[in-house]
Structure formats: structure tokens, C-alpha cells
């Protein structure tokens, strides 16, 4: 009996322990199921007629985050077909209201300061990368002054001086890069074009000293700083994750590098010797008479480097990939240069670029179909009525615009998924000259939102680097066309788009074949 009692007692204890684990697991599972059921019932039974329809989702907090993150444009078009141009979805627990179409772009991108705010959305992501006192880490009025300084630094003289510098950097890569040895071969387009973009921007816009320091160490710092744009940093920007510790170290070292360059220039007498942006900002003054502090000059230069690199490197990579699929267009570009500039193809100038319309249309068409930024967000600061609807967007929501949707919509562009530069030959959009001009504090600009083509945004936060981007992309394209014929290899399939970060870019690797043109240098 004693042995039997011991066995029974042991069995009872084991059963109790197992039962506790089962009960806890069951309770957790039941809680999850209950939360899902209540979430579904809330969506079906308690709809608010004064707010946009909510995209149906099963799991609270997660909502449509995964579907949106995998392919934003597929998500937008699918929701548009079901809910219309205005709808709300759950993005990591936040009600995010999307407004599509040209009216949606205007509603968000030209929203008044009292109604919408960009700083609260983006400062957690950008301030640790760019540094304090610039861009979104300052009052909007100060940001507008900073944009004006940069915009007026991009003079015709400056842009004219950049072209030969960009050409020189491209030729250095095409002659010495390991993937361009011999008379033909293959190259990984996103990787190589990212190198070309950073070299050309650092040599022209950033200055000779920055380019001279762009060795492997500086490249590693750039990479670590770039990791600060990880989407998780929208929510957890200051958590000491390994990538955030590297980001903070890189930001400090890059800021010191710029400060050293500025100090060396001042110590040498501060006499301007080139048209780079550092010289321009070093001599800039705020409206209240305060010179821009050297630290803020350094941080603005980091902002220009980081923001410009993403959009330009992605776009020029897409241009090369698209040209490889259309050898006819690439040959047409080459013949355009010969016809306009002469068979000897003299050194490229700024004026030459303005005489190459197809070259410009290739850039434009690529930006249309491959917009570098798929989503633009604003925090709602006061309730906003969406014109033509019963919807009032409350302050608990975030607004989201996607100009890329209008650029890929059949109502604006026939066969929008086809890459066809010649669609612009006779003007596929109204001119910005027809738009209302507004001065947000950095000079007159077009409101722009009447156009379905907005690769650089619109409104007070429109990209001020637009002129430089077109110049850089056009110059690189024209130079690559002079040097190579591109084509695809057997079984080639155009790579998809990587939406894993704030900026859209081609997936890697993406190899195409090249053949060097036989012409005298």
C-alpha cells in the first residue's frame, strides 16, 4: 500500500504540474482568440460613418502591417479597388489614413502647418542619423531657411561646374572597377551604381576633401549610419541595438570629419575655391543674423549625402537595368548624342545635357515607374475634413500619401506598368507652369500636386535636391551610354523591388551584360 500510495501521489503532482502549464497555455490562446474575435466584431458592427473605412484585418495591433510592408503598391491598389481613394489601415497599432490620387496628394502634401506635421513622424528616424538642429530636429520655419540656403547654393554656375566632375568619377569607375575589366563582361548593377552615385555626389556637391576621404573606412561609416534608417527605428530609435550603437558612432565620426574640413578651410583664410555646398553653407546666415554654426553645416551635409544617395543610387540602377532590357533605347540614346553633339562626342557639359531630350525622358520615365519613396506620412494636428466626403480625420490618425500610385495609374498613363520613355514625347502631363506658385519660405515653387508625376514630393517638404538629382542622373546616364552597350543574358528576369527600408530599391544582386564601345577616347 505504501508503494502504491507513493506512485499515486507522484502521478498526482505530475498531473498538477502538467495541468498548470496546459491551463496557462489555454488561457493565453483563449485571450488571443478573444482579442481576434472582438477585433473582428468591432470592425463589422461598430463602423464610424464620419471616418474612412478600415481595411479588414484579423490581428489587433499588427493589422495590415505585413501586407503593406511586403508590397506597398499592391496593397494600395487592392485597397483602392475595394474602399476607394480614402481608407484607413492599422500600421503597428496606429490608425493610418491613406489618401490617394491627385486630390489625396494635395490634401496631405499641401496641408497647412496647423493641420499636419512631418517633424513628429520623421524626427525619431532622421535626427540620430543627420544630427541635431537640422531638418526635422528644428522648428519648421528654421527648416525652411535651411532649405533656402541649399536651394540658392545650387546656382547655374554650381550645376555647370558639377558635370565634368561627375563625368570624371564615372570614367574612373568604368576604367578601374574589377567588374569592368576587358572589352565585355557582366556587372552587378545595384552595387556598382551605388558606388558611382556616392563618388559623384561626394566629388561635386560635397567637395573635394569629402571625396578624398571616401576610403573603405569612410564607406563603412556611411554603411553603419545608413542602418539608422531601419524601419524599426520609427518606434525604437534610441534602444541600444547593435545597429543603433554603430549608427551613433558613425554619426559622431562623420560629423567630426566635416567639422575638420570646415575648420581647415577657415584656417586657410576662408576664400571660396569651388562651388560645393560646404562653401555655400559656411557663408550662410539665418534671418535673425546668426551665422549657421559649423556643427549645423556638418549635419546638413550629412543629410544631403544620406538622403540624396538613396534616391539617386536606386534610380540610376533602375535606369541601367531598364536600358539593358531595351537595347534599342540605349542605341537611340547614343545616336542622339552623335546627332546633337557630333561624332567625336566632345566632353559633356551642362549645356549639352539640356540638348539631349531622350536622355532626360529616360530619367523621367524611370522616376515615374520606380519612385524612390513609396509612402509619405504626416501627423494629424487638428481634425481635417476630406473634401467631397463625410470623413473627418481625427488627431489620433497618421496621414499617408503615395504619389507613386498616381504615376502608375491607368487614368493618367496608358499601360502604366510598361517602361516607355517615348510616352513623354508629346507631353503626358500638364506643365508645372500651370500650377499655382507658392513660397513656403525657401523661394517660389510650384504646388505641384495637380500633377500625377511627383517623384520629389510636393508642398513645403518638396525635395530641394531635385535639380541636382536630375543633373547627376542625366550625366551618369549619358556617360554610361557613351562607354557601353548593355543587354540581358539568357533567362534574365527583371528583379523585383526591395521595400524593406524607407527607400525603394532594386533587389540584389542584379547582373546585366556589358560591351565596351569601340571609339576613340
Amino acid at each position: 500500500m505504501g508503494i502504491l500510495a507513493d506512485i499515486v501521489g507522484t502521478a498526482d503532482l505530475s498531473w498538477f504540474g502538467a495541468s498548470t502549464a496546459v491551463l496557462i497555455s489555454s488561457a493565453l490562446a483563449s485571450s488571443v482568440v478573444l482579442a481576434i474575435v472582438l477585433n473582428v466584431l468591432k470592425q463589422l458592427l461598430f463602423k464610424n460613418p464620419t471616418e474612412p473605412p478600415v481595411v479588414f484585418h484579423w490581428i489587433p495591433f499588427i493589422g495590415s502591417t505585413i501586407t503593406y510592408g511586403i508590397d506597398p503598391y499592391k496593397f494600395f491598389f487592392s485597397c483602392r479597388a475595394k474602399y476607394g481613394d480614402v481608407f484607413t489601415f492599422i500600421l503597428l497599432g496606429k490608425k493610418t489614413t491613406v489618401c490617394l490620387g491627385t486630390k489625396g496628394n494635395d490634401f496631405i502634401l499641401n496641408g497647412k502647418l496647423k493641420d499636419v506635421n512631418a517633424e513628429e513622424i520623421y524626427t525619431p528616424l532622421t535626427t540620430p542619423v543627420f544630427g541635431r538642429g537640422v531638418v526635422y530636429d528644428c522648428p519648421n520655419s528654421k527648416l525652411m531657411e535651411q532649405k533656402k540656403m541649399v536651394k540658392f547654393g545650387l546656382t547655374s554656375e554650381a550645376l555647370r561646374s558639377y558635370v565634368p566632375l561627375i563625368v570624371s568619377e564615372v570614367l574612373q569607375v568604368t576604367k578601374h572597377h574589377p567588374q569592368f575589366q576587358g572589352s565585355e563582361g557582366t556587372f552587378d548593377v545595384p552595387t556598382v551604381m551605388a558606388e558611382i552615385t556616392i563618388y559623384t555626389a561626394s566629388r561635386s556637391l560635397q567637395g573635394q576633401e569629402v571625396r578624398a576621404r571616401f576610403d573603405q573606412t569612410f564607406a563603412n561609416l556611411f554603411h553603419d549610419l545608413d542602418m539608422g534608417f531601419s524601419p524599426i527605428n520609427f518606434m525604437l530609435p534610441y534602444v541600444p541595438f547593435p545597429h543603433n550603437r554603430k549608427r551613433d558612432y558613425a554619426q559622431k565620426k562623420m560629423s567630426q570629419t566635416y567639422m575638420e574640413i570646415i575648420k581647415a578651410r577657415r584656417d586657410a583664410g576662408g576664400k571660396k575655391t569651388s562651388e560645393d555646398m560646404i562653401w555655400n553653407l559656411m557663408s550662410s546666415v539665418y534671418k535673425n543674423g546668426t551665422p549657421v554654426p559649423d556643427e549645423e553645416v556638418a549635419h546638413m551635409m550629412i543629410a544631403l549625402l544620406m538622403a540624396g544617395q538613396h534616391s539617386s543610387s536606386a534610380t540610376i540602377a533602375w535606369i541601367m537595368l531598364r536600358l539593358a532590357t531595351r537595347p534599342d533605347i540605349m542605341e537611340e540614346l547614343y545616336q542622339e548624342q552623335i546627332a546633337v553633339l557630333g561624332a567625336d562626342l566632345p566632353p559633356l557639359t551642362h549645356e549639352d545635357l539640356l540638348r539631349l531630350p531622350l536622355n532626360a525622358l529616360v530619367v523621367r520615365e524611370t522616376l515615374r515607374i520606380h519612385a524612390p519613396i513609396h509612402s509619405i506620412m504626416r501627423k494629424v494636428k487638428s481634425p481635417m475634413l476630406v473634401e467631397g466626403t463625410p470623413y473627418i480625420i481625427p488627431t489620433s490618425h497618421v496621414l499617408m500619401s503615395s504619389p507613386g500610385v498616381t504615376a502608375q495609374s491607368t487614368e493618367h498613363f496608358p499601360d502604366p506598368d510598361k517602361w516607355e520613355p517615348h510616352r513623354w514625347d508629346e507631353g503626358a502631363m500638364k506643365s508645372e507652369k500651370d500650377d499655382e506658385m507658392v513660397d513656403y519660405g525657401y523661394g517660389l515653387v510650384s504646388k505641384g500636386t495637380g500633377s500625377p508625376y511627383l517623384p520629389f514630393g510636393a508642398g513645403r517638404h518638396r525635395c530641394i535636391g531635385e535639380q541636382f538629382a536630375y543633373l547627376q542622373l542625366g550625366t551618369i546616364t549619358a556617360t554610361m551610354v557613351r562607354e557601353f552597350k548593355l543587354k540581358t543574358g539568357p533567362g534574365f528576369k527583371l528583379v523585383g523591388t526591395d521595400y524593406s527600408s524607407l527607400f525603394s530599391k532594386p533587389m540584389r544582386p542584379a547582373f546585366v551584360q556589358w560591351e565596351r564601345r569601340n571609339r576613340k577616347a
Side-chain angles (χ1 to χ4, degrees):
M1 291 291 292
I3 295 174
L4 182 61
D6 288 343
I7 294 173
V8 172
T10 302
D12 286 343
L13 288 173
S14 300
W15 179 88
F16 178 77
S19 296
T20 301
V22 170
L23 286 172
I24 292 174
S25 299
S26 298
L28 289 173
S30 298
S31 298
V32 170
V33 171
L34 180 61
I36 291 174
V37 170
L38 291 176
N39 179 56
V40 170
L41 290 175
K42 180 181 178 181
Q43 294 176 75
L44 297 177
L45 302 178
F46 300 98
K47 297 180 180 180
N48 187 339
T50 65
E51 292 185 10
V54 177
V55 177
F56 181 81
H57 57 282
W58 291 97
I59 305 175
F61 186 81
I62 298 297
S64 304
T65 302
I66 296 174
T67 309
Y68 163 75
I70 292 173
D71 190 333
Y73 288 120
K74 183 178 180 181
F75 174 75
F76 289 144
F77 279 108
S78 173
C79 292
R80 190 187 198 190
K82 187 172 184 179
Y83 303 104
D85 280 342
V86 184
F87 54 88
T88 296
F89 75 99
I90 305 302
L91 178 62
L92 294 177
K94 177 65 68 174
K95 286 188 174 181
T96 304
T97 296
V98 180
C99 298
L100 301 176
T102 54
K103 290 183 178 179
N105 293 336
D106 183 61
F107 178 69
I108 296 175
L109 302 182
N110 277 319
K112 297 179 180 178
L113 276 177
K114 69 178 183 66
D115 296 327
V116 296
N117 178 282
E119 287 80 357
E120 291 184 34
I121 295 291
Y122 291 111
T123 192
L125 195 71
T126 60
T127 298
V129 174
F130 300 158
R132 296 289 183 184
V134 303
V135 192
Y136 295 121
D137 189 56
C138 61
N140 186 265
S141 58
K142 183 178 178 180
L143 170 59
M144 294 301 107
E145 286 192 64
Q146 292 174 351
K147 293 184 70 169
K148 186 174 184 178
M149 294 169 190
V150 173
K151 179 182 176 183
F152 283 86
L154 293 172
T155 62
S156 296
E157 184 179 357
L159 294 173
R160 190 175 294 110
S161 72
Y162 293 160
V163 173
L165 299 176
I166 293 171
V167 170
S168 175
E169 290 293 336
V170 176
L171 293 178
Q172 285 295 312
V173 173
T174 61
K175 290 177 181 177
H176 302 296
H177 197 283
Q179 295 188 38
F180 285 130
Q181 297 306 300
S183 58
E184 60 182 26
T186 63
F187 76 106
D188 182 14
V189 175
T191 300
V192 174
M193 299 318 294
E195 291 181 37
I196 287 177
T197 307
I198 197 70
Y199 292 152
T200 55
S202 61
R203 180 63 187 90
S204 57
L205 189 65
Q206 295 277 322
Q208 185 173 0
E209 301 100 321
V210 178
R211 175 65 183 93
R213 298 185 186 213
F214 223 102
D215 55 12
Q216 189 58 51
T217 300
F218 200 82
N220 289 338
L221 290 175
F222 178 88
H223 174 268
D224 290 342
L225 194 56
D226 186 43
M227 292 304 293
F229 285 126
S230 299
I232 193 174
N233 281 359
F234 269 116
M235 298 184 65
L236 305 170
Y238 297 106
V239 174
F241 295 128
H243 75 271
N244 281 347
R245 290 199 297 269
K246 289 182 178 180
R247 172 204 64 191
D248 295 341
Y249 175 79
Q251 202 286 329
K252 183 178 180 180
K253 294 297 290 184
M254 288 185 72
S255 182
Q256 287 176 352
T257 298
Y258 281 105
M259 294 280 282
E260 290 168 3
I261 292 171
I262 295 167
K263 183 177 184 302
R265 288 187 176 189
R266 294 198 190 282
D267 290 346
K271 186 177 180 181
K272 185 176 179 180
T273 58
S274 66
E275 295 293 334
D276 63 62
M277 191 57 65
I278 295 179
W279 280 118
N280 173 60
L281 295 177
M282 283 173 60
S283 60
S284 295
V285 178
Y286 287 113
K287 285 182 179 179
N288 62 8
T290 303
V292 179
D294 289 352
E295 183 179 60
E296 290 186 9
V297 173
H299 293 171
M300 277 192 268
M301 293 307 300
I302 292 174
L304 287 171
L305 180 69
M306 301 301 295
Q309 171 64 12
H310 285 94
S311 55
S312 293
S313 66
T315 302
I316 195 62
W318 281 121
I319 289 174
M320 294 300 115
L321 289 169
R322 290 292 186 172
L323 286 175
T325 67
R326 292 287 303 273
D328 59 315
I329 295 292
M330 189 143 197
E331 186 59 26
E332 194 176 349
L333 286 170
Y334 185 63
Q335 294 302 324
E336 177 183 62
Q337 290 198 44
I338 291 175
V340 173
L341 307 178
D344 59 335
L345 291 180
L348 201 63
T349 67
H350 184 230
E351 288 72 22
D352 291 338
L353 286 177
L354 302 178
R355 299 165 58 202
L356 301 174
L358 182 58
N359 195 77
L361 297 186
V362 163
V363 174
R364 181 180 290 271
E365 174 68 353
T366 305
L367 284 167
R368 179 193 71 81
I369 204 169
H370 297 294
I373 298 180
H374 55 76
S375 304
I376 302 174
M377 294 182 285
R378 300 287 185 264
K379 178 72 176 69
V380 181
K381 301 299 292 181
S382 60
M384 299 176 67
L385 173 67
V386 181
E387 186 179 353
T389 76
Y391 306 142
I392 298 175
I393 314 301
T395 56
S396 57
H397 286 215
V398 167
L399 285 171
M400 180 179 285
S401 169
S402 181
V405 168
T406 55
Q408 298 179 43
S409 298
T410 54
E411 60 262 40
H412 300 294
F413 297 95
D415 200 4
D417 295 332
K418 182 180 180 181
W419 185 80
E420 180 48 72
H422 284 297
R423 75 167 69 243
W424 300 91
D425 286 347
E426 297 180 6
M429 57 175 276
K430 73 173 189 175
S431 170
E432 286 197 354
K433 294 178 182 178
D434 299 329
D435 280 334
E436 178 185 350
M437 302 298 287
V438 182
D439 187 350
Y440 296 100
Y442 59 94
L444 281 173
V445 294
S446 160
K447 287 183 69 174
T449 46
S451 169
Y453 172 79
L454 298 174
F456 295 96
R460 68 178 58 252
H461 292 288
R462 181 171 179 160
C463 177
I464 48 170
E466 182 175 351
Q467 275 186 296
F468 176 76
Y470 276 123
L471 178 89
Q472 183 187 30
L473 295 169
T475 305
I476 296 173
T477 300
T479 307
M480 291 293 286
V481 164
R482 288 185 175 197
E483 295 299 308
F484 301 115
K485 296 178 182 179
L486 300 182
K487 62 181 180 180
T488 59
F492 176 87
K493 183 179 180 182
L494 189 69
V495 295
T497 303
D498 180 357
Y499 295 111
S500 61
S501 71
L502 187 64
F503 301 90
S504 307
K505 55 190 176 184
M507 289 184 175
R508 298 186 181 190
F511 285 89
V512 301
Q513 297 180 355
W514 59 268
E515 177 186 345
R516 203 174 293 275
R517 292 188 188 275
N518 294 318
R519 68 181 186 86
K520 294 181 180 180

